[in-house]
């Protein structure tokens, strides 16, 4: 790898803290093979680290901000990490032709609390539109449960997010689950994760006959 590519690599400390725990969950819920579409890939570190651990999967990074592409590509050493694509979850068309090839799962790590609620709606609607029957939507991040934060640190984080942007904030798990359900995504499981985060896994139900 060239020195220029290394210089393009940006680093998110949270990736090293959560990636092993995320991998443990993904290994238990992912189909045998296919393409994983990652929403909001950011630095690209999750794609680069997780792909070699899931040898039958191809990873499609995406991000709204094309400024992240250089870092995503710099981290990607495995040929099964595809070129990043620009994707805005709030748009009705995700450029389906670019992401639908053998798509079996959508992964979104630490996004829906750092974006407006419309982004969560768009993510769920897009997953419902593109995933096959039994396909997986995997979400990772902090959530409120039964109207309450699960830790004081999450409450403090929520306050800081809303100070930065009133449309941001830690979401109520029950609201996310309800919106997924009406869009054909059934809650499969919720897994407690490090630092008071959750893995939330949905599966695409069979279309109505």
């Amino acid at each position: 790898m060239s020195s220029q590519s290394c210089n393009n690599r940006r680093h998110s400390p949270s990736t090293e803290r959560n990636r092993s725990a995320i991998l443990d969950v993904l290994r238990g819920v992912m189909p045998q093979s296919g393409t994983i579409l990652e929403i909001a890939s950011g630095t690209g570190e999750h794609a680069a680290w997780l792909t070699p651990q899931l040898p039958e999967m191809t990873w499609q990074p995406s991000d709204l901000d094309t400024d992240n592409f250089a870092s995503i590509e710099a981290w990607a050493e495995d040929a099964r990490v595809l070129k990043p694509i620009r994707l805005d979850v709030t748009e009705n068309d995700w450029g389906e032709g670019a992401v639908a090839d053998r798509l079996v799962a959508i992964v979104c790590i630490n996004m829906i609390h750092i974006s407006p609620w419309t982004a969560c709606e768009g993510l769920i609607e897009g997953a419902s539109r593109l995933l096959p029957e039994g396909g997986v939507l995997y979400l990772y991040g902090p959530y409120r449960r039964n109207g309450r934060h699960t830790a004081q640190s999450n409450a403090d984080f929520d306050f800081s997010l809303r100070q930065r942007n009133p449309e941001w904030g830690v979401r109520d798990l029950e609201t996310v689950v309800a919106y997924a359900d009406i869009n054909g995504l059934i809650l499969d499981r919720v897994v407690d994760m490090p630092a008071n985060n959750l893995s939330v896994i949905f599966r695409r139900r069979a279309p109505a006959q």
Side-chain angles (χ1 to χ4, degrees):
M1 175 173 290
S2 69
S3 59
Q4 180 59 47
S5 295
C6 290
N7 290 339
N8 286 333
R9 288 180 169 183
R10 292 188 291 105
H11 176 59
S12 173
S14 64
T15 303
E16 291 183 358
R17 293 195 298 267
N18 64 35
R19 64 189 186 182
S20 293
I22 289 173
L23 175 63
D24 287 343
V25 177
L26 292 182
R27 281 177 167 158
V29 302
M30 284 294 153
Q32 291 296 311
S33 63
T35 298
I36 298 171
L37 168 64
E38 183 184 18
I39 303 297
S41 297
T43 65
E45 291 170 274
H46 279 117
W49 192 83
L50 290 168
T51 301
Q53 319 301 324
L54 301 167
E56 302 302 319
M57 309 301 291
T58 298
W59 198 280
Q60 173 64 73
S62 75
D63 208 278
L64 175 61
D65 187 355
T66 57
D67 287 345
N68 289 327
F69 285 12
S71 180
I72 294 170
E73 293 179 350
W75 278 107
E77 297 181 344
D78 192 307
R80 290 175 298 112
V81 180
L82 304 177
K83 293 287 187 181
I85 58 173
R86 184 187 181 278
L87 196 153
D88 181 348
V89 294
T90 65
E91 294 179 350
N92 292 329
D93 181 359
W94 285 9
E96 274 80 342
V99 300
D101 184 34
R102 298 182 67 234
L103 181 68
V104 294
I106 294 175
V107 168
C108 185
I109 299 169
N110 284 331
M111 185 199 81
I112 67 171
H113 54 282
I114 314 178
S115 56
W117 172 248
T118 52
C120 183
E121 292 177 324
L123 170 64
I124 289 170
E125 292 164 10
S128 175
R129 189 169 63 247
L130 292 182
L131 287 174
E133 179 182 348
V136 172
L137 173 62
Y138 172 89
L139 306 181
Y140 174 92
Y143 291 86
R144 289 159 51 102
R145 304 192 77 170
N146 301 311
R148 296 178 178 274
H149 288 290
T150 60
Q152 183 59 46
S153 60
N154 283 3
D156 296 341
F157 182 45
D158 185 38
F159 179 79
S160 70
L161 289 173
R162 295 177 189 277
Q163 289 290 105
R164 290 163 61 189
N165 187 325
E167 293 190 276
W168 295 1
V170 175
R171 306 301 175 190
D172 285 299
L173 179 61
E174 293 77 16
T175 303
V176 175
V177 170
Y179 197 76
D181 183 69
I182 64 174
N183 281 277
L185 299 170
I186 305 304
L187 181 66
D188 180 84
R189 68 192 73 173
V190 177
V191 182
D192 290 327
M193 302 293 280
N196 303 305
N197 290 304
L198 298 175
S199 283
V200 184
I201 298 94
F202 299 94
R203 293 190 183 272
R204 180 73 170 93
R205 72 159 66 98
Q209 299 297 318

